[in-house]
């Protein structure tokens, strides 16, 4: 809460100065605070104000920060098709020599944040062939920065496409290094993400009970930082792992909480996966209601199609074939 108050005061002060571009940093602070807290809808309102400031000032830095922020806002809201345009604007405006110094104000390198979310969006959109190369490019950029937090964040959240692809060894290698850096510097936010992802790796390796325990521990630690962003997706991952452990009832309870937060905060990038995993867990019930399974899969397919999320769509359609024995009828 004290962070929010500090940025709000900075924003109020910036509003009384003559130079409109002076307001971009406190606006970013308020916007990213609410985003990390999980309130995507509120963040988008502030993001629109940032866009107005960028237009009015026509400042390169204001545009750079605004486009960087919108790569995240569009991504988390599930508007994946809008992400590449903002990523390209960041790439065009970013100056390696000048803008590395902005890390002191913005906590993480602006180009890195944009590139990571751009790579993530491309994978979900189905442009999966070049994703490993994009992630390696991000890793090289993060290493060049010599900024511990940027690198630790890249090696955890930035490595999530390895999780989506099911590349356990690539994910494990990056996340363990990210965790090491986070341990040295006390980055609790990164430590928690790393713990959750390492637990996911253990589940995939067959150590399901221990993996689920680590995932739950990491999620609890992540939420203890005050973070709400990505929590519904992390709950979806945990629910799927609980299903693998035969604990489908607990998994469905986790998804119910995830869905409530999705509706409240407006974070939508994971929504198709949430519906798909619900169908998988419902199907594990010995008294499974085939209609509920079918409805959840239909929701997953509909959301994925509306968002252009081809990778999520492929998964939902594959599960429809596996669980129902037939593809879903097109809308």
């Amino acid at each position: 809460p004290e962070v929010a108050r500090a940025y709000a005061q900075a924003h109020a002060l910036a509003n009384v100065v003559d130079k409109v571009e002076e307001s971009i940093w406190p606006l970013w602070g308020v916007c990213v605070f609410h985003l990390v807290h999980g309130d995507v809808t509120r963040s988008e309102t502030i993001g629109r104000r940032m866009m107005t400031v960028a237009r009015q000032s026509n400042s390169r830095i204001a545009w750079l920060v605004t486009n960087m922020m919108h790569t995240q806002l569009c991504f988390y809201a599930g508007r994946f098709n809008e992400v590449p345009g903002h990523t390209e604007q960041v790439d065009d405006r970013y100056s390696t020599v000048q803008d590395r110094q902005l890390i002191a104000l913005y906590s993480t390198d602006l180009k890195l944040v944009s590139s990571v979310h751009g790579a993530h969006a491309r994978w979900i959109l189905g442009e999966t062939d070049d994703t490993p190369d994009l992630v390696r490019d991000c890793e090289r950029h993060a290493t060049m920065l010599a900024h511990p937090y940027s690198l630790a964040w890249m090696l955890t959240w930035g490595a999530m496409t390895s999780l989506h692809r099911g590349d356990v060894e690539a994910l494990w290698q990056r996340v363990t290094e990210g965790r090491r850096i986070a341990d040295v510097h006390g980055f609790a936010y990164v430590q928690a993400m790393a713990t959750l992802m390492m637990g996911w790796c253990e589940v995939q390796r067959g150590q399901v009970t221990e993996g689920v325990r680590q995932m739950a521990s990491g999620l609890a630690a992540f939420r203890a930082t005050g973070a709400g962003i990505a929590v519904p997706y992390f709950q979806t991952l945990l629910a799927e792992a609980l299903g693998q452990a035969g604990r489908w009832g607990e998994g469905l309870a986790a998804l119910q909480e995830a869905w409530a937060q999705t509706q409240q905060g407006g974070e939508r990038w994971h929504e198709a996966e949430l519906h798909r995993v619900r169908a998988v867990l419902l199907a594990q019930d010995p008294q499974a209601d085939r209609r509920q399974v079918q409805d959840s899969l239909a929701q997953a397919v509909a959301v994925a199609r509306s968002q252009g999320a081809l990778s999520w769509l492929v998964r939902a359609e594959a599960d429809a074939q596996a669980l129902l024995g037939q593809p879903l009828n097109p809308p």
Side-chain angles (χ1 to χ4, degrees):
E2 60 271 23
V3 174
R5 287 193 295 270
Y7 277 125
Q9 184 178 7
H11 182 210
L13 291 170
N15 279 340
V16 301
V17 302
D18 292 334
K19 294 183 178 180
V20 68
E21 67 266 25
E22 293 290 340
S23 65
I24 202 67
W25 171 72
L27 273 172
W28 166 85
V30 176
C31 187
V32 80
F33 173 83
H34 291 299
L35 181 66
V36 174
H37 197 61
D39 193 344
V40 177
T41 302
R42 189 170 181 182
S43 296
E44 288 191 289
T45 299
I46 302 165
R48 287 191 288 272
R49 170 63 181 151
M50 292 177 68
M51 191 66 75
T52 299
V53 168
R55 290 194 186 103
Q56 289 176 345
S57 67
N58 202 26
S59 158
R60 185 184 69 85
I61 296 298
W63 274 117
L64 181 64
V65 174
T66 298
N67 287 129
M68 177 275 296
M69 198 67 231
H70 276 77
T71 63
Q72 299 172 80
L73 295 174
C74 294
F75 173 80
Y76 291 113
R79 300 196 308 275
F80 305 116
N81 286 312
E82 297 179 35
V83 175
H86 291 292
T87 303
E88 290 170 11
Q89 290 295 318
V90 172
D91 289 344
D92 290 343
R93 291 189 168 100
Y94 183 87
S95 167
T96 302
V97 176
Q98 290 177 266
D99 297 333
R100 283 176 59 177
Q101 300 174 30
L102 294 173
I103 292 176
L105 277 180
Y106 296 99
S107 76
T108 311
D109 181 70
L110 303 183
K111 179 179 171 65
L112 181 66
V113 172
S114 173
S115 298
V116 162
H117 288 93
H120 209 152
R122 283 177 67 88
W123 188 91
I124 293 173
L125 286 166
E127 300 171 26
T128 57
D129 291 345
D130 62 351
T131 304
D133 291 335
L134 293 174
V135 171
R136 282 190 288 270
D137 288 343
C138 290
E139 190 172 349
R140 281 193 290 269
H141 181 70
T143 302
M144 177 270 294
L145 294 167
H147 182 246
Y149 184 79
S150 290
L151 182 57
W153 177 80
M154 163 59 220
L155 291 169
T156 48
W157 182 249
M160 281 295 292
T161 54
S162 295
L163 187 152
H164 299 328
R165 292 186 293 112
D167 191 340
V168 175
E169 295 312 312
L171 181 65
W172 181 266
Q173 181 179 357
R174 288 190 169 97
V175 168
T176 51
E177 176 60 12
R179 176 61 190 263
R180 184 193 67 78
I181 297 169
D183 287 346
V184 169
H185 296 277
F187 299 146
Y189 183 88
V190 173
Q191 286 173 320
M193 282 196 295
T195 299
L196 186 145
M197 294 179 196
M198 292 167 77
W200 182 88
C201 288
E202 294 290 12
V203 171
Q204 310 315 306
R205 291 169 169 173
Q207 304 300 316
V208 179
T209 300
E210 174 59 20
V212 166
R213 186 197 66 77
Q214 283 192 48
M215 291 181 74
S217 174
L219 178 56
F222 188 72
R223 298 180 79 169
T225 69
I229 197 67
V231 165
Y233 176 66
F234 290 154
Q235 289 174 314
T236 300
L237 286 179
L238 177 59
E240 191 168 34
L242 285 165
Q244 290 176 259
R247 296 158 59 182
W248 54 269
E250 294 174 64
L252 287 171
L255 288 180
Q256 186 173 1
E257 184 180 351
W259 180 235
Q261 185 167 333
T262 296
Q263 292 177 299
Q264 180 180 351
E267 184 177 350
R268 300 283 178 181
W269 70 277
H270 66 290
E271 186 178 348
E273 279 290 271
L274 188 155
H275 296 307
R276 181 189 67 81
V277 172
R278 182 192 289 124
V280 172
L281 296 180
L282 286 169
Q284 292 183 2
D285 184 345
Q287 282 82 45
D289 185 329
R290 181 182 172 89
R291 172 57 62 180
Q292 286 187 326
V293 174
Q294 185 171 333
D295 287 348
S296 289
L297 286 168
Q299 281 185 284
V301 167
V303 170
R305 284 177 176 158
S306 69
Q307 294 179 341
L310 181 59
S311 291
W312 295 156
L313 178 62
V314 168
R315 287 186 178 181
E317 290 180 334
D319 278 348
Q321 185 67 48
L323 297 175
L324 304 174
Q326 61 186 38
L328 291 168
N329 293 326

